[in-house]
C-alpha cells in the first residue's frame, strides 16, 4: 500500500488511457506524458501500461507501507526519499515506512510515480485512468486526497533492483536530435494542417507565425492559448464530429484550444491544425504561462518521430532487464 | 514540405482531411439528413474490417477514422477511405425506442426566451414543436453516453453560443444548431437549454455503458411544462 500524506488538487491515477470508447462519448484519458509512464514502468519491471500516479500539483508526499520498488519520471525535478535527494528517471527500492516527496519541478509540469506491481485500482472499461469528467476510473473517479491508501499490485518475479538504483537517459536528452529546440526558450511543437485552416486565410499565417502563451484556463482536457486572436473569414455551423488529443480548434473568440488527454470525443469548432502524435507528451509537460510555437510538419516527419520513440522504448525494455541481471550476477560473484 | 492536400467534397464525393498524424475525418457531401447518416453507418461497418484501424467515431454525417499508427502513405489512406465511401450503400440500424420525460421550462430552460426571440414563436410553440418530433440517434460523443439527435424542426433551430455557459447542469435538454440532446455532464456547454430530463443514461460499470446507440428512436415526453 501507499498512503498519501500531502497532495494538491488534480493529482490522479493514470495509465496509457482508455481508447476504444470514443464512439460512446468516453474520452481516452491517460497520462499527459505517456512516454514518462512507459519508461517508469519499464524501470520497475512492469508492463508499460501499468497505472501510475500523475502529479501536477506540488508539494506531494506519500509513504510506502511496505518494501516497494519505485521510479519517478517525467519531471525535471528531483524526488526526496526520507529527505535524501535522489535522481529522477531512476528506479530505487523504498523500505516500509519511508516517505517520498516531490517538490515543484523547475520547468516542467508533471511528475509520474511508478511502483513495481503498478497502482492497483479497479480497471473500468479496460483502463485504470481517472476520468475526472465522467467521475469514474482511477481512485474512486476523483483526484487523490490526503489520507488515501492505494493498493500496489504484486511485483513480477524479476531480478531485484540494484541498491544504488538503475537509471535511464531521459528522452529529452537521448532523443534530442529528434525534437526541435528554439533559441528563445519557447517550446516548438510540430503540427499538421487540419480541415478548416483555409477558413482563416491570412490569419492562418498568424497562427503559425506567433508564439502562444498557455493560458491559466488550461487543464488535462485542453490548453487554451493566449495571443493575437485569429478569426475565420467566414463563420460556419459545423456538424459535430470526432476529435482526438492534439487537435487545435478555434472557437469564435479566436483563441485556439489544443485538446489534451481528457479531450472531448466530439466537437464542432473549426480546426486549424493537429499536433503530431510524437510531440503530444512534450506539450503535456508544458506549464501554464509557458510559451509554445507551432511548426508546420508532415506525415513523413510524424512517422519518423514515432519510429524513433518506439526504437528508444524497445531498446530500454530490452536493456533494463539485461543490466539488472548483470549487476545481480556481479554481486553474487 | 507541402501539407497534404485535403480531398474536397464534390457532388457525391466526401471531403477528407487529417486531424494530427493518424486520424482522418470523412465528411459526407450534401444535406444533413438520414440518407447521409445511413451511408455513414454503412461506411463504419466496412471500416471495421481494416486491420490498421484503431477506432472509428461516427459523427453527424461524418466519420473519424483513427489508425493504430501514423501511416507511411497518408494519401493511400485517404484514397482508401474515399473508395470505401463511394462503395458504401445505405444501411439502417434497427434501434430501440427511448422515451425521455422532460420538464420543459422552469429554472433549467435558461435559453428558452432567446430561442423565442430568434424563432418568433411563443414558448408554448417552441416546446410543442420540440416534443412533437421524433428523433433519431445519429451518433454518440462529446460526453459519456451523450447522443446527438437528428430530427429537429428547422423552426426551432438555434446556433451554438458564441460564449458557452460555464456550468450547465447535467440533464438539461438542449438545442445546438440543427441538433438536439440531453447534457450528460455538468460543465461548460455551448448549446441552448429549454428543459430538464432526470434520467440515468450512462453507467461505466455496465457491459453496455451507454443507454443510447446509433439508430435508436427518441421521443421527448412532456412530464411537466412550466412556462
Amino acid at each position: 500500500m501507499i498512503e498519501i500524506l500531502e497532495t494538491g488538487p488534480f493529482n490522479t491515477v493514470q495509465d496509457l488511457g482508455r481508447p476504444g470508447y470514443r464512439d460512446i462519448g468516453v474520452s481516452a484519458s491517460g497520462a499527459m506524458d505517456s512516454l514518462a509512464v512507459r519508461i517508469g514502468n519499464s524501470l520497475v519491471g512492469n508492463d508499460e501500461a501499468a497505472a501510475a500516479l500523475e502529479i501536477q500539483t506540488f508539494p506531494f508526499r506519500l509513504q510506502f507501507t511496505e518494501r516497494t520498488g519505485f521510479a519517478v519520471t517525467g519531471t525535471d525535478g528531483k524526488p526526496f526519499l526520507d529527505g535524501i535527494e535522489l535522481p529522477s528517471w531512476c528506479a530505487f527500492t523504498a523500505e516500509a515506512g519511508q516517505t517520498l516527496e516531490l517538490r515543484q519541478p523547475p520547468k516542467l509540469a508533471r511528475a509520474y510515480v511508478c511502483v513495481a506491481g503498478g497502482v492497483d485500482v479497479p480497471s473500468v472499461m479496460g483502463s485504470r485512468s481517472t476520468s475526472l469528467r465522467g467521475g469514474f476510473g482511477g481512485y474512486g473517479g476523483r483526484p487523490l486526497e490526503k489520507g488515501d491508501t492505494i493498493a500496489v499490485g504484486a511485483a513480477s518475479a524479476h531480478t531485484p533492483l540494484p541498491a544504488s538504483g538503475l537509471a535511464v537517459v531521459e528522452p529529452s536528452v537521448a532523443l534530442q536530435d529528434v525534437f526541435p529546440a528554439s533559441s528563445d526558450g519557447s517550446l516548438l511543437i510540430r503540427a499538421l494542417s487540419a480541415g478548416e485552416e483555409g477558413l482563416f486565410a491570412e490569419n492562418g499565417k498568424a497562427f503559425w507565425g506567433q508564439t502562444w502563451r498557455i493560458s491559466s484556463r488550461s487543464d488535462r482536457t485542453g490548453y487554451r492559448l493566449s495571443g493575437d486572436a485569429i478569426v475565420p473569414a467566414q463563420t460556419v455551423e459545423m456538424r459535430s464530429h470526432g476529435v482526438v488529443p492534439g487537435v487545435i480548434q478555434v472557437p469564435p473568440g479566436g483563441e485556439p484550444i489544443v485538446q489534451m488527454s481528457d479531450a472531448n470525443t466530439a466537437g464542432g469548432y473549426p480546426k486549424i491544425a493537429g499536433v503530431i502524435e510524437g510531440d503530444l507528451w512534450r506539450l503535456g509537460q508544458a506549464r501554464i504561462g509557458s510559451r509554445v510555437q507551432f511548426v508546420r510538419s508532415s506525415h513523413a516527419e510524424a512517422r519518423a518521430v514515432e519510429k524513433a520513440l518506439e526504437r528508444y522504448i524497445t531498446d530500454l525494455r530490452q536493456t533494463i532487464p539485461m543490466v539488472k541481471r548483470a549487476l545481480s550476477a556481479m554481486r553474487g560473484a | 514540405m507541402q501539407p497534404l492536400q485535403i480531398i474536397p467534397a464534390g457532388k457525391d464525393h466526401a471531403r477528407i482531411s487529417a486531424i494530427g498524424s493518424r486520424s482522418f475525418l470523412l465528411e459526407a457531401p450534401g444535406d444533413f439528413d438520414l440518407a447521409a447518416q445511413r451511408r455513414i453507418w454503412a461506411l463504419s461497418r466496412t471500416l471495421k474490417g481494416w486491420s490498421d484501424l484503431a477506432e472509428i467515431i461516427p459523427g453527424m454525417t461524418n466519420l473519424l477514422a483513427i489508425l493504430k499508427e501514423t501511416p507511411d502513405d497518408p494519401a493511400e489512406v485517404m484514397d482508401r477511405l474515399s473508395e470505401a465511401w463511394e462503395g458504401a450503400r445505405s444501411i439502417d440500424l434497427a434501434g430501440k425506442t427511448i422515451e425521455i420525460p422532460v420538464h420543459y421550462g422552469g429554472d433549467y430552460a435558461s435559453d428558452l426566451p432567446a430561442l423565442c426571440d430568434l424563432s418568433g414563436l411563443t414558448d408554448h410553440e417552441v416546446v410543442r414543436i420540440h416534443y412533437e418530433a421524433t428523433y433519431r440517434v445519429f451518433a454518440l460523443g462529446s460526453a459519456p453516453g451523450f447522443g446527438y439527435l437528428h430530427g429537429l424542426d428547422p423552426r426551432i433551430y438555434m446556433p451554438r453560443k458564441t460564449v458557452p455557459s460555464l456550468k450547465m447542469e447535467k440533464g438539461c435538454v438542449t438545442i445546438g444548431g440543427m441538433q438536439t440532446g440531453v447534457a450528460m455532464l455538468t460543465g461548460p456547454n455551448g448549446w441552448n437549454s429549454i428543459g430538464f430530463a432526470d434520467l440515468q443514461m450512462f453507467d461505466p460499470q455496465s457491459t453496455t455503458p451507454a443507454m443510447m446507440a446509433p439508430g435508436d428512436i427518441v421521443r421527448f415526453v412532456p412530464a411537466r411544462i412550466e412556462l
Side-chain angles (χ1 to χ4, degrees):
Chain A
M1 301 277 267
I2 47 185
E3 185 181 350
I4 309 301
L5 302 180
E6 184 178 10
T7 183
F10 307 122
N11 294 331
T12 54
V13 175
Q14 296 292 340
D15 58 18
L16 299 184
R18 184 177 286 113
Y21 296 97
R22 288 180 172 102
D23 64 347
I24 58 166
V26 177
S27 307
S29 297
M32 291 281 273
D33 179 351
S34 56
L35 195 59
V37 169
R38 297 174 72 185
I39 295 167
N41 278 325
S42 302
L43 274 167
V44 297
N46 292 345
D47 183 281
E48 65 175 21
L53 304 182
E54 178 178 88
I55 308 305
Q56 53 182 20
T57 33
F58 303 87
F60 175 84
R61 284 190 307 129
L62 65 79
Q63 188 169 47
F64 296 99
T65 63
E66 58 211 283
R67 197 164 199 268
T68 310
F70 74 95
V72 175
T73 58
T75 181
D76 56 339
K78 300 272 198 291
F80 293 81
L81 188 67
D82 277 356
I84 310 284
E85 186 178 295
L86 296 175
S88 46
W89 303 96
C90 189
F92 293 96
T93 303
E95 300 301 330
Q98 284 196 301
T99 299
L100 178 69
E101 181 185 358
L102 305 182
R103 300 176 189 171
Q104 179 70 54
K107 288 200 181 96
L108 298 180
R110 293 171 178 91
Y112 294 85
V113 180
C114 298
V115 289
V119 170
D120 190 17
V121 294
S123 175
V124 180
M125 299 170 77
S127 164
R128 293 180 167 80
S129 283
T130 313
S131 169
L132 285 181
R133 252 162 49 96
F136 61 87
Y139 191 87
R142 62 163 173 80
L144 301 176
E145 288 171 10
K146 181 180 175 180
D148 286 346
T149 53
I150 306 171
V152 174
S156 56
H158 60 84
T159 319
L161 286 164
S164 56
L166 180 65
V168 294
V169 180
E170 63 188 277
S172 62
V173 175
L175 296 166
Q176 56 182 330
D177 294 345
V178 179
F179 298 109
S182 77
S183 51
D184 68 352
S186 64
L187 180 67
L188 299 183
I189 293 290
R190 287 161 291 198
L192 306 178
S193 176
E196 286 71 58
E197 191 187 348
L199 280 184
F200 294 90
E202 283 304 303
N203 263 311
K205 287 181 190 153
F207 168 77
W208 299 99
Q210 70 175 297
T211 300
W212 297 94
R213 191 170 288 276
I214 296 173
S215 126
S216 58
R217 294 170 305 145
S218 297
D219 55 22
R220 284 179 40 89
T221 300
Y223 285 1
R224 285 166 189 269
L225 306 176
S226 308
D228 296 330
I230 48 171
V231 182
Q234 57 181 57
T235 55
V236 287
E237 182 70 26
M238 292 185 63
R239 299 169 193 170
S240 298
H241 57 79
V243 295
V244 287
V247 65
I248 306 175
Q249 301 168 309
V250 186
E255 296 204 320
I257 299 173
V258 194
Q259 294 285 334
M260 298 299 289
S261 291
D262 285 338
N264 293 329
T265 58
Y269 287 135
K271 309 171 289 298
I272 195 161
V275 175
I276 69 167
E277 193 85 3
D279 275 356
L280 268 178
W281 67 275
R282 300 170 63 229
L283 195 54
Q285 282 289 4
R287 208 140 92 182
I288 284 170
S290 65
R291 289 169 305 130
V292 58
Q293 190 175 357
F294 295 95
V295 180
R296 201 184 276 281
S297 185
S298 66
H299 272 88
E301 188 175 34
R303 179 82 181 136
V305 173
E306 209 168 285
K307 280 182 170 167
L309 281 170
E310 287 311 311
R311 271 196 305 274
Y312 167 73
I313 285 278
T314 306
D315 184 51
L316 283 186
R317 290 194 68 82
Q318 287 171 351
T319 311
I320 288 166
M322 276 163 42
V323 172
K324 280 186 196 167
R325 279 196 298 274
L327 289 170
S328 177
M330 280 165 63
R331 277 199 303 275
Chain B
M1 190 165 297
Q2 282 298 309
L4 199 69
Q5 286 299 309
I6 291 163
I7 300 175
K11 187 175 176 300
D12 194 40
H13 298 295
R15 178 177 186 265
I16 301 175
S17 58
I19 299 185
S21 47
R22 64 182 176 107
S23 302
F24 295 86
L25 180 67
L26 179 144
E27 295 166 87
D31 293 337
F32 178 43
D33 59 16
L34 185 58
Q37 194 65 19
R38 282 177 173 160
R39 256 181 97 176
I40 289 291
W41 290 336
L43 175 69
S44 178
R45 195 164 286 184
T46 308
L47 264 51
K48 282 189 177 124
W50 289 12
S51 59
D52 56 347
L53 210 66
E55 275 185 75
I56 304 165
I57 315 179
M60 300 296 267
T61 69
N62 54 51
L63 182 148
L64 186 71
I66 308 175
L67 301 185
K68 289 174 183 161
E69 295 178 352
T70 299
D72 279 321
D73 185 357
E76 180 273 330
V77 176
M78 286 180 158
D79 286 348
R80 207 157 22 115
L81 266 173
S82 183
E83 274 169 33
W85 167 256
E86 303 298 333
R89 299 285 160 250
S90 171
I91 60 165
D92 206 1
L93 299 178
K96 58 188 178 294
T97 298
I98 298 168
E99 292 198 338
I100 302 176
V102 181
H103 174 176
Y104 282 103
D107 290 346
Y108 294 113
S110 50
D111 304 299
L112 190 53
L115 183 46
C116 292
D117 288 348
L118 181 75
S119 61
L121 299 165
T122 67
D123 47 8
H124 285 275
E125 287 168 326
V126 169
V127 165
R128 186 177 48 79
I129 290 167
H130 189 262
Y131 73 67
E132 278 185 354
T134 298
Y135 301 93
R136 204 75 196 272
V137 180
F138 266 23
L140 271 68
S142 176
F146 178 80
Y148 285 102
L149 307 181
H150 176 264
L152 190 80
D153 189 305
R155 286 176 291 170
I156 56 170
Y157 157 91
M158 192 171 184
R160 293 182 186 88
K161 291 174 196 174
T162 310
V163 180
S165 316
L166 278 180
K167 206 171 182 208
M168 189 178 282
E169 205 72 29
K170 172 185 175 182
C172 282
V173 175
T174 54
I175 291 172
M178 279 300 291
Q179 309 168 129
T180 186
V182 182
M184 290 286 152
L185 299 171
T186 298
N189 198 315
W191 289 26
N192 308 283
S193 181
I194 61 166
F196 188 80
D198 186 12
L199 188 63
Q200 179 69 28
M201 287 184 242
F202 184 81
D203 174 10
Q205 305 296 344
S206 166
T207 48
T208 50
M211 183 180 81
M212 290 186 195
D216 286 352
I217 292 160
V218 172
R219 291 207 180 89
F220 291 108
V221 183
R224 188 170 169 206
I225 300 180
E226 185 186 348
L227 302 169

